[in-house]
Amino acid sequence: MTRPSPVDNDCGCLRPVLAVPLILLTLVAAYFCWTALTIRPSGPWDDDAYAGIVLSCVLTIGAAGAAAVLWLLPSVRRTMGWWWVGPAVLLGVIAAVRWGTGG
C-alpha cells in the first residue's frame, strides 16, 4: 500500500495559520467598506466627506486585493477553499461600485 505524501497532508496545521491573515484582511476590508457606505456628505461642497469615501474605498480594495493575492499562492490555494477569500473580494467589489457611483 502506498502512503499519502506528507506534502499533500499539510491541511491540519497550515489551515489555521493561513486563516489568520485572510481573516484579518477580510475584517479590515469590512471595516473600511462599512465606513465608505456610511459616510454621507452634507452637500456637493463637502470635499472632505468625498475624500473620506474615496480613501475608504481604496483601502477596502487594497485589503481585498491583498487577500486575493495571498489566496493565489499555490500553498494557500491548495489548503484553503475559494470561500475563504470570497467575502473579501465581494467587499472589494462593493467598494468599487461605491467609488464609481458616488465617491
Side-chain angles (χ1 to χ4, degrees), residues 86-102:
V89 172
L90 180 64
L91 290 167
V93 169
I94 291 170
V97 168
R98 172 67 169 134
W99 189 6
T101 59

Side-chain angles (χ1 to χ4, degrees), residues 74-96:
S75 61
V76 178
R77 200 174 50 232
R78 184 182 50 209
T79 58
M80 312 290 279
W82 63 267
W83 55 88
W84 281 92
V85 75
V89 172
L90 180 64
L91 290 167
V93 169
I94 291 170

Side-chain angles (χ1 to χ4, degrees), residues 7-34:
V7 174
D8 294 334
N9 195 14
D10 61 353
C11 292
C13 292
L14 192 57
R15 184 170 289 169
V17 170
L18 294 174
V20 170
L22 284 174
I23 290 171
L24 288 176
L25 286 169
T26 302
L27 289 174
V28 167
Y31 173 74
F32 285 113
C33 187
W34 173 79

